Amino acid sequence: AVVSTQSTGLQRGSKMKVGLIVFPNVDLLGVAGPFSVLSRVTPPLQIFLISTSDSLAPFNPTFAITPNRVFNEFRAGDIDIIVVPGGPGINDVLCNREFLSWLNAVCTKAKWVTSVCTGSLILGAAGLLKGYKATTHWASIGLLEMLKEKGLVGEVIKWTEKRPNPRYVIDGNRITSSGVSSGIDSCLSIVKTEFGIEEARSIALLIQYRSVEDEEMEFLAGSGDPSTIEKPLLEKMVEKCKDMIEKREKVLDKL
């Protein structure tokens, strides 16, 4: 299920900038999922991997993520889409007052403020969910409710015995998603709103991702499967992949 009180779209064609927040022990899929979607948008978006500290040293030594910017290089208005993932390392981020203050300021003029999994706790700690509906990973709902008790979250949308945890919740320009894989769904929803249904379905097909079939994401039902997609869109994507396929054919031909 998805909860939505969605904002209006933007003009297509503007060079949008994405700030994907990274930190030690960030959840890898929380970074890779949104990146896999947003990096395939046409026209291309400018994507920054933004460190929560003043260091550009790689994170996660066993599977390195290297930021290319530090957070204080940006001001309000510099980033259109903020994506805050979660992971085991969020405790240090929650205690980083300098970063949280920056995040609050830079999001005042962002077009979309989004989180993946427990990244919603970071948004809440930064004061960015006051008066907003929000969700998070099912096991961390109680932590989000703690933030609600402190006046830092408007309403917690959670699972019950009769209702599953929503994949993501949209309230104005805030999007909070639940488990780490749902960052893919929420970013596809942004693409749908900003660049149209066909662009979102094209990306879902390229990454072969079948989204949850609910009212908000119905446009993506089966879109990750070439057997169910309509022929014109499939042909368009085949043409888009043609150059890549031809180059790989030449490589394989030499084996």
Side-chain angles (χ1 to χ4, degrees):
V2 172
V3 177
S4 174
T5 53
Q6 203 159 1
S7 63
T8 57
L10 306 169
Q11 294 273 329
R12 182 178 178 122
S14 58
K15 185 77 170 183
M16 296 181 70
K17 295 179 175 63
V18 179
L20 185 48
I21 306 301
V22 294
F23 47 87
N25 291 314
V26 66
D27 196 299
L28 296 174
L29 185 55
V31 177
F35 183 87
S36 295
V37 172
L38 298 174
S39 65
R40 287 176 166 83
V41 171
T42 303
L45 308 181
Q46 190 171 6
I47 302 178
F48 302 101
L49 296 182
I50 301 176
S51 172
T52 59
S53 71
D54 58 2
S55 172
L56 292 178
F59 299 141
N60 298 356
T62 57
F63 200 129
I65 296 177
T66 304
N68 53 26
R69 292 288 192 278
V70 297
F71 71 91
N72 54 19
E73 292 181 47
F74 298 91
R75 298 179 180 179
D78 288 344
I79 306 174
D80 300 297
I81 302 172
I82 298 282
V83 182
V84 181
I90 70 166
N91 288 1
D92 289 336
V93 181
L94 292 172
C95 297
N96 187 338
R97 294 184 179 275
E98 184 182 2
F99 170 76
L100 294 177
S101 177
W102 169 85
L103 184 63
N104 182 285
V106 81
C107 287
T108 58
K109 293 187 178 180
K111 293 160 183 171
W112 291 98
V113 177
T114 74
S115 65
V116 182
C117 198
T118 53
S120 58
L121 301 178
I122 297 174
L123 292 186
L128 292 164
L129 295 179
K130 292 180 180 179
Y132 289 93
K133 297 175 182 178
T135 194
T136 191
H137 186 275
W138 62 267
S140 294
I141 286 292
L143 299 176
L144 200 61
E145 290 181 325
M146 285 180 63
L147 293 179
K148 181 180 183 298
E149 291 174 3
K150 295 176 180 292
L152 294 171
V153 178
E155 180 182 350
V156 177
I157 307 300
K158 60 184 179 179
W159 64 279
T160 67
E161 292 182 355
K162 296 182 178 180
R163 184 183 67 188
N165 209 57
R167 291 290 285 175
Y168 59 92
V169 171
I170 306 178
D171 191 355
N173 72 336
R174 305 295 201 264
I175 307 182
T176 52
S177 60
S178 53
V180 66
S181 64
S182 59
I184 298 174
D185 299 83
S186 59
C187 286
L188 283 170
S189 180
I190 290 176
V191 173
K192 182 192 77 166
T193 301
E194 302 300 340
F195 303 102
I197 289 176
E198 184 172 311
E199 182 73 8
R201 298 182 77 223
S202 298
I203 292 172
L205 180 62
L206 285 174
I207 65 175
Q208 200 162 352
Y209 182 74
R210 180 165 184 157
S211 184
V212 177
E213 295 184 31
D214 54 41
E215 292 180 2
E216 180 67 22
M217 297 294 282
E218 187 177 0
F219 72 101
L220 285 172
S223 60
D225 190 333
S227 68
T228 60
I229 206 75
E230 62 268 23
K231 189 174 180 180
L233 180 56
L234 179 60
E235 291 175 345
K236 179 181 177 180
M237 291 300 101
V238 168
E239 182 63 27
K240 187 171 184 176
C241 296
K242 184 177 180 181
D243 182 60
M244 175 189 68
I245 296 298
E246 289 178 348
K247 289 178 180 178
R248 288 179 182 170
E249 284 177 345
K250 292 178 182 179
V251 173
L252 293 175
D253 194 45
K254 295 178 181 179
L255 296 180

